[in-house]
Amino acid sequence: MSLSWLFLKGRRVVATSVAVMLSAVLVLSMLSVSEALEKSAEERERASSEDILLTTAYLSNGIPGGHALSEEISSDSNVTVATPISLAIASALVGGEDLPLVGVGVIPGEIEKFMGEDGVLFISGQKMEISDFFEEKGDPYFAGGYKGRWTGEILLDEVLKGKYGLRKGSRIELSGPGGRMNFTVSGFFSTTLTGGGVVSYYVKGAFMVHLSELQALSGLALSPDNGTVVDRCWGILIKVSEKLREDNEAFESFASSLKARYPLYKVITPQERFKRLDEQYNLVKVFSFSISFISASVGLLFLLAIMYINVQQKGQLLRVLKAIGASNRDIFLEVYLSSLLILFVSFLSAIPVSYFVAGYINDYFVSSTGIDVSYAILNTSVALKAFLIFAGLGAVLNLYPTFKAVRIKLEGVRAPPERW
Amino acid sequence: MKVELREVWKEYRMGQVTVAALKGVSITISRGEMVAITGPSGSGKTTLLNMVGCVDKPTRGRVLIDGEDVTPTPLDRLAPLRLKKFGFIFQRFYLLPTLSALHNVMFPMLKAGVKRAEAQKRALELLDTVGMRERATHLPYQLSGGEQQRVAIARALANDPDIILADEPTGELDSESGRVVVELLHRLWKDMGRGVVVVTHQSEIASRCRRKIVMRDGRIVGGR
Ligand SMILES: Nc1ncnc2c1ncn2[C@@H]1O[C@H](COP(=O)(O)OP(=O)(O)OP(=O)(O)O)[C@@H](O)[C@H]1O
Ligand SMILES: [Mg+2]
């Protein structure tokens, strides 16, 4: 076999390769991100020691009487620990700026039981890595009917460290619907809670405080009308006993008994979280695959168009090839292999570029969460997937200009040059 | 080898009008002959040459190669025949712009299945024959028109053809380069015993050919 590589010369080929390469980079990055999202979410779910989350169907209402409800649930012999948690948005007033943060309110002594030995805590699939912890393990402000001892302890998001000169011992004023309150920084933690996406656009970081202090700050402690204690919280984390954990059936029946007991709330089990996650990531997969497919198509249609133009312009040379003895098969190979070669070279050069892009995406997310999780994984399976999309589409699309070339009529070679 | 055209017609339909480029031409051309085809523009010279070289099909009539009727055979199936029995030389040279002079000459040999080393050796010899050995590594755009045509002649000789078909091979060349090309074609016939068919407008070229065919209006009107 011998080819004249009639189509592999000139700036046009370079431009085409770059276009195909860019579309390949997009495909590779897209697939890497969807792979990483799936992997890391799955990992987080697996590492999580929260078994059941009781929460409201609608965020706005919240669960009233959170402390009491937790205690009620804890009294069940199947439950090791149940603890109320609260989520709220509040502003930190630092350096003359109004910094919107997302806050987590916990009872330290209880939430500790959900933490791994490495200080890793998961709440609804969000990861928190806590190194410094609260001095006061209880919730004394609540114990005093929201008039008790104000600890003022606060853990701040790692991403805020260094910014605004915040360090351990710094004083910080937070403002929420419940008023303005003072805190003292007792440590830092990193979290995926604000990592990337829309959330990170509005919210500049996270903080963690005692549950009752967050309730006071966000107006969830007392009823605004008559000042009675309402103790609203976002959800109740439940850890079941070892026995229940091992026994699937017993676990299921316990979960449904909870559902029956608290029909107004949502009872989310790990199974349900996995299912929800699956549905979510199926959507992500379909989406990323569609985008990949479209992007690959655009790149490859560009290649097709250029090859088509090449065939039109080199028509006379193709006729000459036929005249001096090249068969239709030779012409087929000449055109088809050239376009496939452009495709492969472009794809291969896209891999290192995508590798850097994936690294850049990860750096971006790591710097915004402080947690070392991958947000783009370019591994062999991703590269193979992308390659299959490319090779499959390319193999089909490139048949068009190839057959155009094969079909060129040899008879035309007779025409005097001025007609060309 | 012998190519025989019997009562060959070539007609082009263009809407209502039918243009007849060949009107019942009969002619036999064999290895060992040097034939000139002359005649006014539009008289059908190129059409006739292409019938002989099996790059076109007659509307009516027969084309026989060594007595075998190839008229019904599709043009693509005749590719091996064109590859091995004929050598083509075009007015505009038509070297493959992506290949060096050497590779242009090797190209038809590789298509014919000749081993690479062998092809290279023979291509260099052929380039030597046309006086282009020193330019073997040059790409077509680095060569003058006359030089390109000499490489094209070497390419036409690649698979040791019986008949070389040249359509106005000096049409784009100055008189000195043209003379060199004609000299080469003459040698192919005289020293190497090939059949050479040259379409030309130039009487000096025609005068060097023993056999002359004159065409007018799709018919052979002079010579046989
Ligand atoms: N594809 C075509 N469609 C219609 N008419 C054609 C076609 N090809 C050739 N002809 C006509 O056939 C006739 C013979 O053409 P041909 O090219 O063989 O002439 P020629 O003798 O080689 O002329 P020249 O000396 O100018 O090269 C001309 O009248 C030409 O217009
Ligand atoms: Mg002509």
Side-chain angles (χ1 to χ4, degrees), chain A residues 59-108:
Chain A
L59 250 175
S60 53
N61 292 334
I63 297 175
H67 285 81
L69 185 58
S70 301
E71 226 154 277
E72 189 184 306
I73 294 170
S74 304
S75 66
D76 192 309
S77 63
N78 288 316
V79 175
T80 311
V81 52
T83 183
I85 50 166
S86 206
L87 290 178
I89 304 283
S91 300
L93 306 168
V94 271
E97 247 187 278
D98 216 350
L99 212 60
L101 304 175
V102 57
V104 186
V106 297
I107 302 173

Side-chain angles (χ1 to χ4, degrees), chain A residues 411-412 414-419, chain B residues 10-14 18-22 37-50 56 91 167-168 199-201 215 217-218:
Chain A
E411 292 91 316
R414 60 165 319 290
E418 47 273 21
R419 277 202 209 146
Chain B
K10 183 69 186 183
E11 287 169 347
Y12 294 103
R13 287 191 70 96
M14 301 167 87
T18 302
V19 181
L22 293 178
I37 301 176
T38 59
S41 184
S43 58
K45 305 181 295 292
T46 299
T47 312
L48 175 63
L49 195 75
N50 287 350
D56 205 348
Q91 182 174 347
D167 194 350
E168 298 185 38
V199 169
T200 184
H201 285 293
M215 294 199 68
D217 196 19

Side-chain angles (χ1 to χ4, degrees), chain B residues 115-134:
Chain B
K115 290 248 158 39
R116 222 182 161 76
E118 164 79 6
Q120 178 161 345
K121 187 168 147 273
R122 268 176 48 196
L124 282 170
E125 282 167 18
L126 287 171
L127 284 174
D128 207 22
T129 312
V130 298
M132 290 295 294
R133 191 178 182 132
E134 280 75 53

